[in-house]
């Protein structure tokens, strides 16, 4: 868990995103940490989720996926932001968005932080009003020594409003 932080709200084209800026407690500094965000959107509105690292002790591979309600949302675009090498764009199955980076020729760890990928969603016109979630599931990461790296798990709450 992260400590209490400051919320930053961004509004654009009928959607509102809230990002929390936090300081990591000592016991979480040994894990990859993903940025948290929440969204409010109207049916037909579009919004982006920035899958971002705020702490990175060093990795060469990273696997994760976003789980979403396909009755409420559709994926418009997945964009690699070039923070990590070896992005594998394997599409999505209508329920998850796989996010995979494999820099198999790396001899040193990548310690960059920032936005790894941006995933653009559209809320379906007939989506029911109420609370929805888009969940980031961490599948695994390794460093240059081949050791497993731990990570945080995040959920991106999304409120659907008329």
């Amino acid at each position: 868990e992260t400590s209490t932080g400051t919320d930053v709200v961004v509004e654009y084209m009928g959607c509102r995103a809230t990002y929390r800026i936090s300081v990591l407690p000592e016991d979480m500094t040994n894990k990859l940490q993903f940025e948290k965000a929440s969204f409010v959107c109207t049916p037909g509105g579009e919004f982006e989720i920035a899958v971002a690292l705020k702490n990175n002790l060093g990795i060469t591979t990273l696997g994760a996926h976003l789980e979403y309600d396909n009755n409420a949302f559709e994926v418009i675009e997945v964009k690699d932001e070039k923070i990590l090498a070896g992005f594998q764009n394997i599409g999505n199955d209508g329920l998850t968005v796989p996010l995979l980076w494999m820099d198999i020729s790396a001899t040193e760890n990548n310690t960059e932080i920032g936005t790894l990928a941006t995933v653009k969603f559209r809320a379906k016109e007939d989506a029911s009003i109420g609370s929805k979630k888009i969940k980031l599931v961490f599948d695994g990461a390794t460093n240059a020594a081949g050791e497993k790296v731990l990570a945080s798990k995040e959920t991106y709450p999304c409120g659907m409003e008329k």
Side-chain angles (χ1 to χ4, degrees), residues 44-158:
E46 295 180 358
F47 61 95
E48 293 181 344
I49 290 183
V51 178
L53 285 176
K54 62 182 175 182
N55 184 31
N56 180 0
L57 299 178
I59 58 175
T60 57
T61 67
L62 173 67
H65 64 275
L66 291 171
E67 295 178 350
Y68 65 97
D69 178 353
N70 66 356
N71 292 315
F73 307 114
E74 60 184 324
V75 176
I76 304 300
E77 177 183 33
V78 179
K79 181 180 175 190
D80 176 28
E81 300 295 349
K82 311 291 186 203
I83 294 285
L84 301 176
F87 180 66
Q88 308 290 312
N89 187 357
I90 54 178
N92 77 79
D93 62 8
L95 296 172
T96 63
V97 179
L99 301 167
L100 178 64
W101 291 267
M102 295 181 65
D103 190 357
I104 56 175
S105 63
T107 57
E108 294 184 15
N109 287 322
N110 180 320
T111 56
E112 295 291 321
I113 57 172
T115 301
L116 301 174
T118 304
V119 182
K120 188 174 192 177
F121 287 89
R122 178 179 298 124
K124 293 185 176 179
E125 292 287 344
D126 59 351
S128 62
I129 303 304
S131 180
K132 315 283 183 208
K133 290 182 180 178
I134 297 174
K135 183 178 180 183
L136 176 66
V137 178
F138 174 70
D139 297 322
T142 57
N143 62 23
E147 301 164 326
K148 291 183 180 180
V149 177
L150 301 175
S152 65
K153 297 177 182 171
E154 301 300 341
T155 300
Y156 304 101
C158 185

